[in-house]
Short mmCIF file of all heavy atoms in Angstrom, two decimals:
data_model
loop_
_atom_site.label_atom_id
_atom_site.label_comp_id
_atom_site.label_asym_id
_atom_site.label_seq_id
_atom_site.Cartn_x
_atom_site.Cartn_y
_atom_site.Cartn_z
N ARG H 1 -6.97 18.41 -5.07
CA ARG H 1 -7.15 19.81 -5.44
C ARG H 1 -8.39 20.40 -4.75
O ARG H 1 -8.34 21.51 -4.22
CB ARG H 1 -7.27 19.93 -6.96
CG ARG H 1 -7.81 21.27 -7.46
CD ARG H 1 -6.97 22.47 -7.03
NE ARG H 1 -5.67 22.44 -7.64
CZ ARG H 1 -5.44 22.78 -8.92
NH1 ARG H 1 -6.42 23.17 -9.69
NH2 ARG H 1 -4.22 22.74 -9.40
N GLU H 2 -9.48 19.64 -4.74
CA GLU H 2 -10.71 20.12 -4.10
C GLU H 2 -10.50 20.34 -2.61
O GLU H 2 -10.99 21.33 -2.04
CB GLU H 2 -11.84 19.11 -4.34
CG GLU H 2 -12.35 19.08 -5.77
CD GLU H 2 -13.29 17.92 -6.03
OE1 GLU H 2 -13.71 17.26 -5.04
OE2 GLU H 2 -13.59 17.64 -7.21
N LEU H 3 -9.78 19.42 -1.96
CA LEU H 3 -9.49 19.57 -0.54
C LEU H 3 -8.66 20.83 -0.30
O LEU H 3 -8.89 21.57 0.66
CB LEU H 3 -8.75 18.34 -0.01
CG LEU H 3 -9.58 17.06 0.09
CD1 LEU H 3 -8.66 15.86 0.32
CD2 LEU H 3 -10.60 17.17 1.22
N ASN H 4 -7.68 21.06 -1.18
CA ASN H 4 -6.85 22.25 -1.05
C ASN H 4 -7.68 23.52 -1.24
O ASN H 4 -7.52 24.50 -0.51
CB ASN H 4 -5.71 22.19 -2.05
CG ASN H 4 -4.85 23.44 -2.04
OD1 ASN H 4 -4.84 24.20 -3.00
ND2 ASN H 4 -4.15 23.68 -0.95
N GLU H 5 -8.55 23.52 -2.22
CA GLU H 5 -9.38 24.69 -2.48
C GLU H 5 -10.32 24.96 -1.30
O GLU H 5 -10.74 26.10 -1.09
CB GLU H 5 -10.17 24.50 -3.77
CG GLU H 5 -9.29 24.57 -5.02
CD GLU H 5 -10.06 24.28 -6.29
OE1 GLU H 5 -11.18 23.72 -6.20
OE2 GLU H 5 -9.54 24.60 -7.38
N ALA H 6 -10.64 23.90 -0.53
CA ALA H 6 -11.49 24.07 0.65
C ALA H 6 -10.69 24.53 1.87
O ALA H 6 -11.25 24.73 2.94
CB ALA H 6 -12.21 22.76 0.97
N GLY H 7 -9.36 24.67 1.70
CA GLY H 7 -8.55 25.24 2.77
C GLY H 7 -7.49 24.34 3.38
O GLY H 7 -6.73 24.78 4.25
N THR H 8 -7.42 23.06 2.95
CA THR H 8 -6.44 22.14 3.52
C THR H 8 -5.06 22.35 2.89
O THR H 8 -4.94 22.43 1.67
CB THR H 8 -6.87 20.68 3.29
OG1 THR H 8 -8.17 20.48 3.84
CG2 THR H 8 -5.90 19.71 3.94
N THR H 9 -4.05 22.43 3.72
CA THR H 9 -2.67 22.54 3.24
C THR H 9 -2.18 21.16 2.83
O THR H 9 -2.36 20.19 3.57
CB THR H 9 -1.76 23.11 4.35
OG1 THR H 9 -2.32 24.32 4.84
CG2 THR H 9 -0.35 23.36 3.82
N ILE H 10 -1.58 21.07 1.65
CA ILE H 10 -1.12 19.77 1.13
C ILE H 10 0.33 19.87 0.70
O ILE H 10 0.73 20.82 0.02
CB ILE H 10 -1.99 19.31 -0.06
CG1 ILE H 10 -3.45 19.11 0.37
CG2 ILE H 10 -1.44 18.00 -0.66
CD1 ILE H 10 -4.39 18.75 -0.75
N MET H 11 1.12 18.88 1.10
CA MET H 11 2.48 18.74 0.61
C MET H 11 2.61 17.34 0.03
O MET H 11 2.34 16.35 0.72
CB MET H 11 3.50 18.97 1.72
CG MET H 11 4.91 19.15 1.19
SD MET H 11 5.95 19.98 2.40
CE MET H 11 7.43 20.26 1.41
N MET H 12 3.00 17.26 -1.22
CA MET H 12 2.98 16.00 -1.96
C MET H 12 4.33 15.70 -2.58
O MET H 12 4.93 16.56 -3.24
CB MET H 12 1.91 16.07 -3.07
CG MET H 12 1.88 14.88 -4.02
SD MET H 12 0.65 15.10 -5.34
CE MET H 12 1.41 16.43 -6.31
N VAL H 13 4.81 14.48 -2.39
CA VAL H 13 6.00 13.98 -3.09
C VAL H 13 5.53 13.25 -4.33
O VAL H 13 4.60 12.44 -4.28
CB VAL H 13 6.79 13.02 -2.17
CG1 VAL H 13 7.70 12.12 -2.98
CG2 VAL H 13 7.60 13.81 -1.16
N THR H 14 6.16 13.54 -5.47
CA THR H 14 5.76 12.88 -6.71
C THR H 14 6.91 12.83 -7.71
O THR H 14 7.78 13.70 -7.71
CB THR H 14 4.54 13.60 -7.35
OG1 THR H 14 4.16 12.91 -8.55
CG2 THR H 14 4.86 15.05 -7.68
N HIS H 15 6.89 11.78 -8.54
CA HIS H 15 7.80 11.71 -9.69
C HIS H 15 7.15 12.33 -10.93
O HIS H 15 7.81 12.56 -11.94
CB HIS H 15 8.14 10.25 -10.02
CG HIS H 15 9.17 9.65 -9.12
ND1 HIS H 15 8.83 8.87 -8.02
CD2 HIS H 15 10.52 9.68 -9.15
CE1 HIS H 15 9.94 8.47 -7.42
NE2 HIS H 15 10.98 8.95 -8.08
N SER H 16 5.84 12.56 -10.84
CA SER H 16 5.05 12.89 -12.03
C SER H 16 4.92 14.40 -12.26
O SER H 16 4.30 15.10 -11.44
CB SER H 16 3.64 12.29 -11.88
OG SER H 16 2.75 12.84 -12.83
N PRO H 17 5.44 14.92 -13.37
CA PRO H 17 5.23 16.33 -13.68
C PRO H 17 3.74 16.67 -13.81
O PRO H 17 3.32 17.78 -13.47
CB PRO H 17 5.96 16.51 -15.02
CG PRO H 17 6.99 15.43 -15.04
CD PRO H 17 6.32 14.26 -14.35
N HIS H 18 2.96 15.71 -14.31
CA HIS H 18 1.52 15.94 -14.44
C HIS H 18 0.88 16.15 -13.07
O HIS H 18 0.11 17.10 -12.87
CB HIS H 18 0.85 14.77 -15.15
CG HIS H 18 -0.65 14.89 -15.23
ND1 HIS H 18 -1.27 15.77 -16.09
CD2 HIS H 18 -1.64 14.28 -14.54
CE1 HIS H 18 -2.59 15.68 -15.93
NE2 HIS H 18 -2.83 14.79 -14.99
N ASP H 19 1.20 15.27 -12.11
CA ASP H 19 0.65 15.44 -10.77
C ASP H 19 1.14 16.74 -10.14
O ASP H 19 0.37 17.45 -9.47
CB ASP H 19 1.04 14.26 -9.88
CG ASP H 19 0.30 12.98 -10.24
OD1 ASP H 19 -0.52 13.02 -11.18
OD2 ASP H 19 0.54 11.95 -9.60
N ALA H 20 2.40 17.07 -10.36
CA ALA H 20 2.96 18.30 -9.81
C ALA H 20 2.26 19.53 -10.36
O ALA H 20 2.22 20.59 -9.71
CB ALA H 20 4.45 18.38 -10.09
N SER H 21 1.67 19.40 -11.55
CA SER H 21 1.00 20.55 -12.17
C SER H 21 -0.24 20.98 -11.40
O SER H 21 -0.76 22.07 -11.62
CB SER H 21 0.63 20.23 -13.62
OG SER H 21 -0.44 19.29 -13.70
N TYR H 22 -0.71 20.13 -10.49
CA TYR H 22 -1.87 20.50 -9.65
C TYR H 22 -1.46 21.41 -8.50
O TYR H 22 -2.31 22.02 -7.86
CB TYR H 22 -2.52 19.24 -9.08
CG TYR H 22 -3.39 18.49 -10.04
CD1 TYR H 22 -2.84 17.64 -10.99
CD2 TYR H 22 -4.78 18.62 -10.02
CE1 TYR H 22 -3.64 16.93 -11.87
CE2 TYR H 22 -5.59 17.92 -10.89
CZ TYR H 22 -5.01 17.07 -11.82
OH TYR H 22 -5.80 16.39 -12.70
N ALA H 23 -0.17 21.47 -8.20
CA ALA H 23 0.31 22.23 -7.05
C ALA H 23 0.50 23.70 -7.39
O ALA H 23 0.68 24.07 -8.56
CB ALA H 23 1.63 21.64 -6.55
N ASN H 24 0.48 24.53 -6.36
CA ASN H 24 0.71 25.96 -6.54
C ASN H 24 2.20 26.31 -6.52
O ASN H 24 2.60 27.35 -7.01
CB ASN H 24 0.01 26.75 -5.44
CG ASN H 24 -1.48 26.43 -5.36
OD1 ASN H 24 -1.94 25.91 -4.35
ND2 ASN H 24 -2.22 26.72 -6.40
N ARG H 25 3.00 25.39 -5.93
CA ARG H 25 4.44 25.62 -5.87
C ARG H 25 5.15 24.28 -6.02
O ARG H 25 4.68 23.26 -5.50
CB ARG H 25 4.82 26.29 -4.54
CG ARG H 25 6.30 26.61 -4.41
CD ARG H 25 6.54 27.75 -3.40
NE ARG H 25 6.00 27.49 -2.09
CZ ARG H 25 6.76 27.10 -1.04
NH1 ARG H 25 8.06 26.94 -1.18
NH2 ARG H 25 6.21 26.91 0.14
N ILE H 26 6.28 24.30 -6.71
CA ILE H 26 7.04 23.07 -6.96
C ILE H 26 8.46 23.24 -6.43
O ILE H 26 9.15 24.21 -6.76
CB ILE H 26 7.07 22.73 -8.46
CG1 ILE H 26 5.64 22.52 -8.99
CG2 ILE H 26 7.92 21.47 -8.71
CD1 ILE H 26 5.56 22.37 -10.51
N ILE H 27 8.88 22.29 -5.58
CA ILE H 27 10.23 22.26 -5.03
C ILE H 27 10.96 21.07 -5.63
O ILE H 27 10.43 19.96 -5.63
CB ILE H 27 10.19 22.14 -3.49
CG1 ILE H 27 9.53 23.37 -2.88
CG2 ILE H 27 11.59 21.95 -2.93
CD1 ILE H 27 9.28 23.24 -1.38
N ASN H 28 12.16 21.29 -6.15
CA ASN H 28 12.96 20.20 -6.70
C ASN H 28 14.13 19.90 -5.78
O ASN H 28 14.87 20.80 -5.37
CB ASN H 28 13.48 20.57 -8.09
CG ASN H 28 12.43 20.37 -9.16
OD1 ASN H 28 12.17 19.26 -9.60
ND2 ASN H 28 11.80 21.46 -9.57
N LEU H 29 14.29 18.61 -5.45
CA LEU H 29 15.42 18.14 -4.64
C LEU H 29 16.41 17.38 -5.50
O LEU H 29 16.03 16.71 -6.46
CB LEU H 29 14.95 17.21 -3.52
CG LEU H 29 13.99 17.72 -2.44
CD1 LEU H 29 13.84 16.66 -1.35
CD2 LEU H 29 14.46 19.02 -1.85
N PHE H 30 17.68 17.47 -5.12
CA PHE H 30 18.73 16.65 -5.75
C PHE H 30 19.82 16.45 -4.72
O PHE H 30 20.29 17.40 -4.09
CB PHE H 30 19.29 17.34 -7.00
CG PHE H 30 20.22 16.45 -7.79
CD1 PHE H 30 19.73 15.43 -8.58
CD2 PHE H 30 21.60 16.63 -7.70
CE1 PHE H 30 20.57 14.61 -9.29
CE2 PHE H 30 22.45 15.80 -8.42
CZ PHE H 30 21.94 14.79 -9.22
N ASP H 31 20.20 15.19 -4.52
CA ASP H 31 21.23 14.85 -3.54
C ASP H 31 20.94 15.44 -2.16
O ASP H 31 21.83 15.94 -1.47
CB ASP H 31 22.61 15.32 -4.01
CG ASP H 31 23.18 14.44 -5.12
OD1 ASP H 31 22.63 13.34 -5.34
OD2 ASP H 31 24.16 14.85 -5.76
N GLY H 32 19.66 15.41 -1.79
CA GLY H 32 19.28 15.84 -0.45
C GLY H 32 19.17 17.33 -0.25
O GLY H 32 18.98 17.80 0.88
N LYS H 33 19.29 18.10 -1.33
CA LYS H 33 19.24 19.56 -1.22
C LYS H 33 18.15 20.13 -2.12
O LYS H 33 17.83 19.56 -3.16
CB LYS H 33 20.58 20.17 -1.60
CG LYS H 33 21.72 19.82 -0.65
CD LYS H 33 22.98 20.60 -1.03
CE LYS H 33 24.09 20.34 -0.03
NZ LYS H 33 25.30 21.16 -0.30
N VAL H 34 17.59 21.27 -1.70
CA VAL H 34 16.67 22.00 -2.57
C VAL H 34 17.49 22.70 -3.65
O VAL H 34 18.37 23.50 -3.34
CB VAL H 34 15.87 23.04 -1.77
CG1 VAL H 34 15.02 23.90 -2.70
CG2 VAL H 34 14.99 22.35 -0.73
N VAL H 35 17.21 22.37 -4.92
CA VAL H 35 17.96 23.00 -6.01
C VAL H 35 17.14 24.08 -6.70
O VAL H 35 17.71 25.06 -7.21
CB VAL H 35 18.46 21.95 -7.03
CG1 VAL H 35 19.56 21.11 -6.42
CG2 VAL H 35 17.33 21.05 -7.53
N THR H 36 15.81 23.94 -6.72
CA THR H 36 14.96 25.00 -7.26
C THR H 36 13.63 25.03 -6.50
O THR H 36 13.17 24.00 -6.00
CB THR H 36 14.64 24.80 -8.76
OG1 THR H 36 13.92 23.57 -8.95
CG2 THR H 36 15.91 24.81 -9.61
N GLN H 37 13.05 26.21 -6.42
CA GLN H 37 11.69 26.40 -5.94
C GLN H 37 11.01 27.37 -6.89
O GLN H 37 11.61 28.38 -7.24
CB GLN H 37 11.65 26.97 -4.53
CG GLN H 37 12.14 26.08 -3.44
CD GLN H 37 11.77 26.60 -2.06
OE1 GLN H 37 10.59 26.80 -1.77
NE2 GLN H 37 12.76 26.83 -1.21
N LYS H 38 9.81 27.07 -7.31
CA LYS H 38 9.13 28.01 -8.20
C LYS H 38 7.63 27.98 -7.96
O LYS H 38 7.05 26.96 -7.62
CB LYS H 38 9.43 27.69 -9.66
CG LYS H 38 8.87 26.36 -10.15
CD LYS H 38 9.12 26.18 -11.66
CE LYS H 38 8.49 24.89 -12.17
NZ LYS H 38 8.69 24.71 -13.63
N ILE H 39 7.02 29.13 -8.12
CA ILE H 39 5.57 29.24 -8.11
C ILE H 39 5.05 28.68 -9.42
O ILE H 39 5.58 28.99 -10.50
CB ILE H 39 5.11 30.70 -7.95
CG1 ILE H 39 5.67 31.30 -6.66
CG2 ILE H 39 3.59 30.80 -7.98
CD1 ILE H 39 5.19 30.61 -5.40
#
């Protein structure tokens, strides 16, 4: 989060909703496709 706030772009794969809560946007995949994107 600190690195991102300093200007670094971050893209993270995670199973954890808690870890995902640090992101500004969440993309959900299922069967190789984007099923939802939300701010």
Side-chain angles (χ1 to χ4, degrees):
R1 165 59 66 77
E2 288 170 11
L3 290 167
N4 176 247
E5 289 176 343
T8 304
T9 307
I10 298 176
M11 193 160 188
M12 174 183 69
V13 159
T14 181
H15 281 96
S16 166
H18 175 74
D19 288 0
S21 72
Y22 282 80
N24 305 116
R25 182 156 57 102
I26 300 172
I27 296 172
N28 280 282
L29 298 188
F30 189 76
D31 285 346
K33 294 186 175 184
V34 174
V35 289
T36 62
Q37 292 193 57
K38 66 175 183 179
I39 302 297

